[in-house]
Amino acid sequence: MSNAAQAERATQNRVVDLFRNELGYRYLGNLEKELDNSNIREQDLRNYLQATGKYAPELIDKAIFSLKKASAINTGDELYPTNKAVYSILRYGVKERLEAGENKETVQLIDWDNPAKNDFAIAEEVTIKNQHTRRPDLVLYINGIAMGMIELKRAGVTASEGIRQCRSNQDELFIKSFFTTIQLVMAGNDSQGLYYGTTLTSEKYFLKWKEDNDVYNEDEILLDKHLKQFCSKARLLEIVHNFVIFDNGVKKLCRPNQYFGVIEAQKKLAKKEGGIIWHTQGSGKSLTMVWLAKWILENKPGGAGQRVLIVTDRTELDEQIEGVFNGVEESIVRPISGVDLVEKLNATSPRLLCSLIHKFGGKDENSSSQFIEDLKIPKDFRAKGDFVVFIDECHRTQSGDLHKAMKALLPDAIFI
């Protein structure tokens, strides 16, 4: 074995030990010589579902069949729609009925709320045969389902080489079919740390994991630090469950700043508090709103009547917000006027709205001081539901009469 190969082997051995001994993953072994490696280890999945004690054997059979059917892909088929369908099954469960005429039951393939109750496992040198055989360095399985793939390089070789290898693995001639269940695609080395993306992410959009500003420590290997942070059981499940979107044909993951901004906002909302999320230009503000709004509407930290209103101060931003949410298949409504806005606030739906702040000011910005009176809103008017309001940028429009009118209509809302 060459010195270069020995160096990469040493890195892989160390990383495998990290997953086993520090992250608590079960070791499946070196699968280089296995002939039937699959992205669904059926017996492992069956063992997990049986261990929950929730499902009849026949229901487990049907759930596994549905997952395998959804994950199957033919030559020439696009990976994106198949991966999207599988993601939906993983996130929301499989709905099956034991007998005709009975109500459907939901079989949850992953326990998203209790990470420790899942079977996290790691395998190395997983040989996958197609027209051209490929052998990913590491594959991460959750309950027998391949969810992550990692390519490792020695310190003298850039992580970009691993990223390109991850990307070419997904080509038709190689092992595209294995990626129908994959959610996280990673590459890294000791000096650069960890880069991550998802299925079909192009090389330039792979993201570097950053946490605690990555202060240099000569006694710490950057790759190991990132893997312990990113691939801990709770965080890995959280990223897959809450920070994956399918946006107009492109599957996307959160950047580190988006992840931590949303997590801190969740903590504030749990205490019925608002705050500020700071962004620089081009840092993904719109998608931060998407992930936070989806979490709010799903988890309802403010109560059963949870609603979200996104307020901007330019028409192009209002249209952009609408387009972003529609692109990820989240229904959002734009009121056409101030009167329409008030009517929608006074109803219990829609749950997700976006509006120009000027709609709180009537025909023009200078009329906002008389807006409330002109609309003849009853004194006992209260916007229906528990509102969280996202304010897109802190411009002068957020400090004058328009802001006062908005606060008058939404006195109990939480503002971010």
Side-chain angles (χ1 to χ4, degrees):
M1 183 182 292
S2 67
N3 290 336
Q6 287 178 337
E8 290 199 359
R9 183 67 251 182
T11 298
Q12 186 165 316
N13 289 342
R14 191 192 72 244
V15 168
V16 169
D17 287 342
L18 182 152
F19 273 92
R20 297 176 68 181
N21 301 322
E22 297 191 51
L23 294 177
Y25 283 59
R26 183 167 63 93
Y27 183 55
L28 299 174
N30 185 314
L31 305 185
E32 179 177 356
K33 296 182 179 179
E34 297 291 328
L35 300 178
D36 58 349
N37 291 315
S38 170
N39 56 357
I40 300 172
R41 292 171 60 90
E42 184 174 335
Q43 191 57 52
D44 288 350
L45 178 55
R46 188 181 306 280
N47 290 343
Y48 164 76
L49 292 173
Q50 289 174 343
T52 66
K54 297 178 180 179
Y55 313 113
E58 297 84 359
L59 201 62
I60 291 174
D61 290 342
K62 290 187 175 185
I64 293 175
F65 177 82
S66 292
L67 175 63
K68 293 177 70 174
K69 181 179 179 181
S71 65
I73 192 169
N74 297 316
T75 301
D77 288 348
E78 295 292 331
L79 177 59
Y80 178 87
T82 303
N83 187 270
K84 182 179 179 182
V86 171
Y87 177 79
S88 181
I89 288 175
L90 297 177
R91 194 180 192 280
Y92 299 107
V94 184
K95 296 185 183 298
E96 297 287 352
R97 55 170 56 94
L98 277 175
E99 301 291 343
E102 293 186 358
N103 292 330
K104 285 187 175 182
E105 297 181 49
T106 300
V107 179
Q108 295 289 354
L109 304 180
I110 296 172
D111 189 337
W112 299 103
D113 297 324
N114 302 286
K117 292 186 178 181
N118 296 284
D119 173 31
F120 284 78
I122 184 169
E124 56 181 327
E125 302 298 331
V126 183
T127 298
I128 305 157
K129 294 184 179 295
N130 194 17
Q131 294 183 51
H132 297 280
T133 297
R134 282 290 173 95
R135 188 176 299 119
D137 290 338
L138 301 173
V139 177
L140 307 182
Y141 292 85
I142 303 177
N143 304 334
I145 305 167
M147 300 279 278
M149 186 177 289
I150 307 175
E151 292 291 345
L152 299 172
K153 297 300 172 185
R154 65 185 187 277
V157 177
T158 66
S160 295
E161 185 173 318
I163 292 171
R164 287 191 288 271
Q165 193 170 339
C166 289
R167 189 63 184 83
S168 67
N169 281 344
Q170 300 170 61
D171 290 345
E172 185 73 55
L173 294 178
F174 294 103
I175 55 173
K176 180 179 72 172
S177 61
F178 194 84
F179 283 83
T180 57
T181 65
I182 292 289
Q183 306 304 318
L184 300 171
V185 181
M186 295 164 275
N189 63 20
D190 289 353
S191 58
Q192 291 178 287
L194 182 70
Y195 289 81
Y196 67 98
T198 187
T199 47
L200 301 177
T201 300
S202 60
E203 181 180 348
K204 68 178 181 178
Y205 289 117
F206 265 71
L207 303 161
K208 185 174 184 179
W209 185 252
K210 294 181 181 180
E211 188 170 349
D212 301 329
N213 294 320
D214 281 335
V215 177
Y216 175 70
N217 181 346
E218 64 178 3
D219 298 322
E220 185 175 52
I221 299 172
L222 192 58
L223 176 62
D224 292 8
K225 176 183 177 179
H226 288 170
L227 287 170
K228 285 187 284 188
Q229 292 169 339
F230 190 81
C231 294
S232 69
K233 294 178 180 179
R235 178 164 290 170
L236 188 144
L237 285 187
E238 185 173 47
I239 288 174
V240 174
H241 188 265
N242 291 331
F243 293 94
V244 171
I245 56 170
F246 294 82
D247 183 8
N248 280 322
V250 180
K251 187 179 180 184
K252 298 178 180 178
L253 292 175
C254 59
R255 302 174 185 177
N257 65 292
Q258 293 169 319
Y259 172 82
F260 289 109
V262 170
I263 293 300
E264 291 303 314
Q266 291 173 0
K267 295 176 183 177
K268 286 285 190 178
L269 289 168
K271 297 185 288 186
K272 304 294 191 292
E273 296 176 0
I276 295 172
I277 301 179
W278 180 266
H279 284 74
T280 55
Q281 186 174 7
S283 60
K285 180 177 54 183
S286 296
L287 289 183
T288 301
M289 291 185 182
V290 168
W291 279 307
L292 183 54
K294 285 169 69 71
W295 181 86
I296 290 170
L297 295 177
E298 187 169 281
N299 292 274
K300 304 179 180 67
Q306 192 76 75
R307 302 174 74 186
V308 174
L309 169 65
I310 302 173
V311 178
T312 59
D313 65 353
R314 300 200 306 276
T315 299
E316 59 268 30
L317 288 177
D318 198 31
E319 293 172 344
Q320 176 185 324
I321 292 295
E322 181 186 37
V324 168
F325 276 85
N326 286 336
V328 299
E329 300 177 7
E330 288 291 328
S331 178
I332 190 168
V333 173
R334 290 175 63 209
I336 60 175
S337 65
V339 173
D340 187 29
L341 172 62
V342 170
E343 288 178 352
K344 286 179 169 54
L345 295 179
N346 198 33
T348 57
S349 63
R351 297 180 66 205
L352 180 60
L353 303 94
C354 61
S355 173
L356 285 171
I357 191 169
H358 303 91
K359 290 190 172 70
F360 289 96
K363 294 181 180 179
D364 59 71
E365 186 173 346
N366 295 326
S367 68
S368 59
S369 59
Q370 295 185 357
F371 176 56
I372 302 298
E373 181 180 348
D374 291 347
L375 288 175
K376 297 181 174 59
I377 298 174
K379 291 183 179 180
D380 61 352
F381 168 87
R382 282 292 183 272
K384 304 300 186 295
D386 305 293
F387 268 95
V388 177
V389 182
F390 297 171
I391 303 297
D392 184 12
E393 301 188 9
C394 298
H395 290 166
R396 61 184 176 84
T397 48
Q398 294 301 330
S399 61
D401 288 342
L402 291 169
H403 181 78
K404 292 176 184 177
M406 180 170 59
K407 293 286 284 186
L409 285 174
L410 297 162
D412 301 318
I414 296 174
F415 287 80
I416 297 178

